[in-house]
Amino acid sequence: MILHDTLTDEHRELQPLGDEVRMYVCGVTPYSQSHVGHALKSVVFDVLRRYLEWRGQPVRHVENFTDIDDKIIARAHDLGVEIEELSEQNIQDYLAQLRKLNVLPAHDYPRVTQMVPQIIDVVQGLIDRGHAYVAGGDVYYRVRSKPDYGKLSKRDIDELKSGARVDMGELKDDPLDFALWKAAKPGEPAWESPWGHGRPGWHIECSVMALNSLGEQIDIHGGGADLIFPHHENEIAQTEGYTGKPFAQFWVHCALLRMGGEKMSKSLGNIVSIGEALEEYGADAFRMFVLSSHYRTPATYSAEAMESARSGAERLREAAFAPPAAKGGGGAVESAAAKERFIEAMDDDLNTPRALAALFELARDINRGRTEGLETGEAQAALRELADVLGFRLEKAPSHVAEAAPFIDLLLELRAELRTAKQYQLADRVRDRLGELGIEVKDSPEGSTWEAR
């Protein structure tokens, strides 16, 4: 499989360092409900994991929770609740939404508050190695101690310095240096450390959680493109400064979800929660929306895009579970070529739009084969298998609808003959009566299809 690496800006073959692909994905900061931008990231890396495992490659997947943070502290204060209560509520809500999205659970969900002793050890190690220093109860990473700082984001350290500033109360040696440990402030959670009471800085958390869960070197570090700088840049500096080894083989970043031309974010207030999207459109529709764009290409969330995605998911479901043709004409619909196109697309930097095109071509062949009386069972099983690799459920219609399917198909054939004979009033009566029974008829240039509501 070929993946794009942000660090080298190259497409390279994924060759795991060990028996399993070790993949760390930056998770959410649970100060409020997660939105569909977070869900997009979760779906992308879920599909990457599903595909690798389908191809026989074991994956160990770790995703963190930053459960102590300035935003969580401020939000809890505004709501008048405990910090732990707020973060736990939003973590559980996020995990529940991922289950509805059919996202495979990570093998480990480390939290910052569970890792403070390990964070202190690594911070002390960075001090011992000359990469960090203590200043007034804070500990800062010395950015200029890492000559290749800026290699991920392609930023020049001298240009960064011109825009850097030191906030009031900070005692940095250099404006570029960033906090590994923050001295305690009144009313904030704090832990004892060699430098006094305080709490971890943002960036050090992920370095330590990745080290603890996956080891000193990992295969894939993933997240949204907004994390490239400064978060992932600082992760590299810290981790490599501590271990002396290259941190991740691949830095994989998905583009941000947009709404109305802007990125979707809590700070901008232009968010749609995961729960709202799932309630209105369903999990398969959301997956179809995400996977219809390449993961490195920004997608724009809209009602039109989601309706189109829902229709696409329904087309796959209808083809996957359509009853066999009434008449057997000999022969069967082939699926091998579609599977080859699917693999070729997924091996090419997780090209899900092309992979979906292979599925829709197979669905079209199945529908055409049914009209020609061909056997479709094997092709339908292949379609369901490939759809499962992409995380679609394609849940089958209720059994009573399946039993009625041959009769509904017969009514659609009769309706088509009525329309050919220009008896449109009778044709409309058939459509309307089916609608009253919960069967929606959809007309297209290729013919009419139906779905149960």
Side-chain angles (χ1 to χ4, degrees):
M1 185 180 191
I2 302 297
L3 280 178
H4 183 81
D5 174 31
T6 305
L7 179 62
T8 60
D9 198 23
E10 294 176 346
H11 285 54
R12 294 188 288 107
E13 183 180 352
L14 174 61
Q15 296 181 324
L17 294 167
D19 294 335
E20 58 186 4
V21 169
R22 288 174 285 181
M23 180 170 73
Y24 183 92
V25 180
C26 280
V28 299
T29 301
Y31 69 92
S32 65
Q33 279 191 322
S34 298
H35 57 69
V36 288
H38 299 128
L40 179 148
K41 178 265 302 177
S42 297
V43 167
V44 166
F45 289 100
D46 178 63
V47 169
L48 175 57
R49 172 183 166 183
R50 284 174 176 272
Y51 179 67
L52 290 169
E53 291 180 340
W54 181 66
R55 295 297 302 275
Q57 174 59 62
V59 177
R60 178 164 173 76
H61 172 201
V62 175
E63 180 173 339
N64 74 293
F65 287 113
T66 301
D67 62 342
I68 185 67
D69 171 88
D70 291 342
K71 293 178 180 178
I72 297 177
I73 294 170
R75 179 76 168 167
H77 179 268
D78 291 343
L79 295 175
V81 300
E82 295 295 326
I83 292 169
E84 296 83 357
E85 178 186 349
L86 176 66
S87 60
E88 185 64 27
Q89 175 185 329
N90 288 319
I91 286 171
Q92 294 307 320
D93 176 74
Y94 174 69
L95 293 174
Q97 302 304 337
L98 292 191
R99 288 192 292 272
K100 293 178 183 178
L101 268 171
N102 201 26
V103 171
L104 296 172
H107 297 99
D108 191 13
Y109 287 106
R111 304 186 187 193
V112 175
T113 55
Q114 299 168 346
M115 303 292 298
V116 174
Q118 294 90 331
I119 291 172
I120 290 172
D121 288 344
V122 172
V123 171
Q124 185 61 56
L126 288 168
I127 294 172
D128 296 341
R129 291 162 177 75
H131 290 293
Y133 57 94
V134 183
D138 297 327
V139 181
Y140 294 100
Y141 186 91
R142 198 185 307 277
V143 166
R144 291 187 183 275
S145 71
K146 192 85 165 53
D148 60 358
Y149 185 86
K151 62 183 178 180
L152 180 70
S153 57
K154 314 300 186 291
R155 302 192 184 204
D156 182 85
I157 196 167
D158 292 317
E159 291 179 3
L160 286 172
K161 185 175 181 179
S162 65
R165 64 184 177 87
V166 179
D167 292 332
M168 186 177 297
E170 292 185 326
L171 302 173
K172 298 180 181 181
D173 289 352
D174 187 312
L176 292 178
D177 297 345
F178 58 88
L180 300 172
W181 186 264
K182 298 180 179 182
K185 295 179 181 178
E188 291 188 356
W191 289 263
E192 183 57 64
S193 79
W195 323 288
H197 276 77
R199 59 185 173 90
W202 172 31
H203 312 297
I204 191 63
E205 300 162 354
C206 279
S207 289
V208 175
M209 287 186 278
L211 285 167
N212 189 72
S213 297
L214 296 173
E216 294 184 347
Q217 294 181 288
I218 64 176
D219 297 293
I220 296 172
H221 195 308
D226 56 333
L227 297 179
I228 294 173
F229 187 88
H231 185 51
H232 288 168
E233 191 73 70
N234 290 350
E235 270 195 72
I236 291 176
Q238 298 161 159
T239 311
E240 295 184 355
Y242 180 74
T243 66
K245 302 173 184 177
F247 181 21
Q249 282 207 90
F250 286 84
W251 289 85
V252 178
H253 294 98
C254 53
L256 303 182
L257 186 60
R258 306 187 73 81
M259 176 175 277
E262 294 182 314
K263 76 169 186 176
M264 184 178 293
S265 73
K266 294 177 184 177
S267 60
L268 292 174
N270 60 344
I271 66 169
V272 176
S273 73
I274 302 174
E276 289 170 337
L278 294 183
E279 183 176 350
E280 187 163 3
Y281 300 107
D284 279 355
F286 186 78
R287 275 191 180 260
M288 181 64 69
F289 165 72
V290 171
L291 302 180
S292 294
S293 298
H294 189 269
Y295 76 91
R296 291 191 291 113
T297 301
T300 300
Y301 187 90
S302 67
E304 294 79 9
M306 291 302 299
E307 287 293 350
S308 176
R310 178 156 58 186
S311 296
E314 182 59 26
R315 280 163 55 200
L316 293 183
R317 191 196 68 77
E318 289 174 349
F321 293 105
K327 300 177 183 178
V333 175
E334 295 292 332
S335 61
K339 185 174 286 190
E340 288 179 9
R341 289 193 296 273
F342 177 85
I343 292 172
E344 180 182 341
M346 295 293 280
D347 277 349
D348 182 17
D349 193 28
L350 205 70
N351 195 321
T352 54
R354 277 177 44 207
L356 281 174
L359 266 63
F360 281 116
E361 289 169 12
L362 181 56
R364 181 198 61 200
D365 291 344
I366 290 169
N367 292 332
R368 185 177 295 163
R370 288 182 67 245
T371 63
E372 296 173 358
L374 300 179
E375 167 60 41
T376 60
E378 184 178 334
Q380 287 176 299
L383 177 58
R384 291 193 294 271
E385 178 187 6
L386 298 180
D388 182 67
V389 175
L390 298 180
F392 292 107
R393 286 194 177 98
L394 298 188
E395 292 168 335
K396 193 173 182 179
S399 58
H400 66 277
V401 175
E403 292 168 3
F407 304 101
I408 298 172
D409 288 340
L410 180 61
L411 285 171
L412 288 192
E413 289 178 19
L414 173 61
R415 178 172 176 267
E417 292 174 6
L418 289 171
R419 295 178 73 185
T420 300
K422 298 185 179 180
Q423 297 189 39
Y424 298 115
Q425 188 173 0
L426 285 174
D428 288 346
R429 283 182 60 189
V430 173
R431 180 199 61 203
D432 295 342
R433 186 72 181 105
L434 286 171
E436 293 171 8
L437 296 171
I439 304 299
E440 181 182 358
V441 176
K442 297 180 179 180
D443 296 319
S444 72
E446 298 178 354
S448 298
T449 59
W450 60 271
E451 67 174 275
R453 288 298 193 187

